[in-house]
C-alpha cells in the first residue's frame, strides 16, 4: 500500500468533506513524489477557499465557459494543453483522455523547477496513458518574449493558436495574450490576473472541469464549424466573470442566513 492510499484510507468515505480531503492528499503525495512544488500546496489552498464560496460545484455559468472552451479547442489549428504539477497530481487520467478526445497535445510547463520534477510529471502522465508529452527536452524549447519566470520556456506552445492553461500564473497569461494566442484558463479565483487576462475563464475546480470537458467534447464533436463558431461568438467572458462574482455574493448571502439560523447567540 502506498502512503497515499494510507492517507486516503484515513479519511472515511462518510466524512462530510471526503472529496476535498481526498484531493488534498493527492496534492501532498504529489509533493512527496516531486510532482508538486511546495508552493503548489499553497496555491491549492487558495483554490479550495474560492471553491468553498462557490458551493463546491460546477455552476451553470462555468458550464457556459466550458462549452465555449471546448468549441474553441475543436476549432483550433494548433491547440495545446499546458500541464503543471498540481494538475498532473490531481487528475492525470482524465487529462490524458481530454488531450486525446480534443487532439490537443500535453506540454509540461512549470513555474518552479527542481531536479527530477519534469521526469516525475512525465512518469505520472505516461502511467495515465500519455504517449507524446512535450516540454521535456531542453534542446527543443524556445523562450517566450516578455516573460522572466521559468514558464517562458516552451515547445509547442510557441506556435500554438489556442492554449489551455489550468492553474496558471498571471504573468504568462499576459505574455501569451501579447503573443496573440487565445488563452483558456481554469482558475477558481475569478479575479486573478489569469482569470482577467484569459479569453475564456472557467471558474471551477480542475477536478470537475476536466471530466465535464470530456463529456462536452464528445457532444460538440458532432457539430459543424458554423455551429461551433456560433457557440464561441455567443460567449462573453467579461459577463461570465461578472455572473460568477454575483453567484459568489448570492452564496455568501445565503450562507450568512443559514449560519445565523444554526448558531444561537
Ligand atoms: P495570478 O498569478 O493569476 O494573479 P495568483 O498569483 O493569485 O494568480 P497563482 O498561485 O499564480 O495565483 O495560481 C494559482 C491559481 O490556481 C489560484 O488562483 C488558485 O485559485 C487556482 N487554483 C488552485 N487550485 C485549483 C484547482 N484545483 N482548480 C482550479 N483552480 C485552482
Ligand atoms: Mg501568480
Amino acid at each position: 500500500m502506498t502512503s497515499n492510499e494510507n492517507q486516503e484510507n484515513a479519511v472515511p468515505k462518510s466524512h462530510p468533506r471526503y472529496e476535498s480531503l481526498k484531493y488534498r492528499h493527492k496534492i501532498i503525495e504529489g509533493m512527496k513524489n516531486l510532482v508538486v512544488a511546495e508552493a503548489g500546496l499553497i496555491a491549492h489552498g487558495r483554490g479550495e477557499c474560492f471553491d468553498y464560496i462557490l458551493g463546491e460545484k460546477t455552476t451553470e455559468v462555468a458550464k457556459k465557459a466550458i462549452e465555449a472552451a471546448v468549441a474553441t479547442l475543436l476549432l483550433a489549428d494548433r491547440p495545446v494543453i499546458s500541464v503543471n504539477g498540481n494538475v498532473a497530481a490531481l487528475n492525470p487520467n482524465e487529462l490524458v483522455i481530454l488531450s486525446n478526445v480534443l487532439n490537443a497535445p500535453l506540454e509540461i510547463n512549470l513555474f518552479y523547477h527542481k531536479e527530477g520534477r519534469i521526469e516525475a510529471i512525465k512518469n505520472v502522465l505516461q502511467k495515465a496513458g500519455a504517449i507524446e508529452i512535450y516540454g521535456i527536452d531542453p534542446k527543443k524549447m524556445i523562450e517566450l518574449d516578455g516573460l522572466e519566470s521559468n514558464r517562458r520556456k516552451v515547445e509547442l506552445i510557441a506556435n500554438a493558436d489556442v492554449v489551455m492553461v489550468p492553474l496558471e500564473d498571471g504573468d504568462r497569461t499576459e505574455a501569451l495574450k501579447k503573443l496573440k494566442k487565445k488563452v483558456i484558463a481554469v482558475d477558481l479565483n475569478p479575479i486573478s490576473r489569469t482569470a482577467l487576462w484569459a479569453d475564456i475563464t472557467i471558474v471551477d475546480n480542475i477536478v470537475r472541469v476536466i471530466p465535464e470537458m470530456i463529456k462536452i467534447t464528445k457532444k460538440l464533436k458532432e457539430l459543424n464549424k458554423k455551429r461551433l463558431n456560433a457557440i464561441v461568438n455567443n460567449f462573453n467572458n467579461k459577463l461570465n466573470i461578472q455572473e460568477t462574482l454575483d453567484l459568489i455574493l448570492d452564496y455568501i448571502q445565503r450562507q450568512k442566513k443559514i449560519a445565523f439560523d444554526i448558531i444561537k447567540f
Side-chain angles (χ1 to χ4, degrees):
M1 191 182 280
T2 65
S3 65
N4 187 37
E5 281 163 349
N6 261 332
Q7 291 213 30
E8 277 184 45
N9 290 346
V11 185
K13 287 213 165 86
S14 57
H15 191 289
R17 306 214 43 77
Y18 174 76
E19 282 291 309
S20 166
L21 292 173
K22 181 177 84 180
Y23 288 112
R24 240 180 223 192
H25 291 311
K26 280 186 194 271
I27 288 284
I28 294 169
E29 192 60 23
M31 193 198 72
K32 290 185 188 156
N33 296 337
L34 277 182
V35 170
V36 172
E38 284 87 344
L41 265 73
I42 298 164
H44 185 80
R46 179 175 289 164
E48 278 187 342
C49 178
F50 281 101
D51 207 9
Y52 211 102
I53 55 174
L54 275 158
E56 293 175 306
K57 60 176 191 313
T58 303
T59 65
E60 287 307 311
V61 179
K63 281 189 187 162
K64 274 198 273 175
I66 289 175
E67 220 183 31
V70 169
T72 302
L73 285 157
L74 287 173
L75 286 166
D77 291 322
R78 295 172 309 282
V80 177
I81 302 175
S82 180
V83 182
N84 74 354
N86 283 42
V87 180
L90 287 170
N91 39 1
N93 296 332
E94 289 90 345
L95 192 67
V96 173
I97 295 172
L98 182 67
S99 162
N100 289 339
V101 289
L102 279 171
N103 217 352
L106 299 172
E107 177 163 332
I108 301 175
N109 184 276
L110 308 175
F111 192 90
Y112 294 101
H113 268 273
K114 193 175 188 176
E115 176 92 32
R117 260 194 89 204
I118 291 193
E119 191 66 18
I121 295 176
K122 185 184 97 179
N123 290 342
V124 165
L125 295 176
Q126 280 178 336
K127 210 170 145 208
I131 295 168
E132 283 199 277
I133 305 161
Y134 297 86
I136 294 171
D137 184 353
K139 290 193 291 297
K140 294 184 181 161
M141 313 283 267
I142 66 151
E143 298 194 0
L144 286 181
D145 284 342
L147 197 60
E148 289 191 0
S149 78
N150 272 317
R151 282 210 187 258
R152 72 185 183 280
K153 295 176 193 156
V154 293
E155 189 177 348
L156 293 189
I157 288 173
N159 285 314
D161 55 347
V162 177
V163 191
M164 176 167 154
V165 292
L167 283 58
E168 184 63 33
D169 183 55
D171 286 29
R172 192 172 70 132
T173 313
E174 189 179 339
L176 291 172
K177 275 313 301 164
K178 287 188 175 153
L179 293 169
K180 306 263 182 283
K181 303 194 187 293
K182 265 204 167 185
V183 177
I184 297 167
V186 181
D187 194 332
L188 276 159
N189 176 0
I191 48 172
S192 72
R193 289 170 311 145
T194 301
L196 300 178
W197 268 100
D199 294 278
I200 299 174
T201 308
I202 303 169
V203 184
D204 192 12
N205 198 321
I206 191 72
V207 303
R208 295 187 298 267
V209 170
I210 297 185
E212 185 67 18
M213 282 183 83
I214 296 169
K215 206 173 87 193
I216 302 292
T217 304
K218 288 179 182 161
K219 204 175 96 190
L220 297 195
K221 262 186 158 176
E222 306 297 319
L223 303 186
N224 61 27
K225 279 194 172 186
K226 200 172 156 207
R227 295 195 53 198
L228 291 175
N229 270 312
I231 293 173
V232 177
N233 294 336
N234 279 333
F235 179 76
N236 179 333
N237 204 43
K238 187 175 169 192
L239 193 67
N240 206 261
I241 291 177
Q242 286 169 338
E243 285 178 3
T244 306
L245 290 168
D246 286 338
L247 285 180
I248 291 178
L249 292 174
D250 290 350
Y251 185 78
I252 291 178
Q253 279 297 342
R254 278 204 311 276
Q255 293 307 309
K256 188 173 153 190
K257 288 201 191 83
I258 292 170
F260 279 89
D261 281 346
I262 294 172
I263 305 163
K264 307 277 179 230
F265 291 98

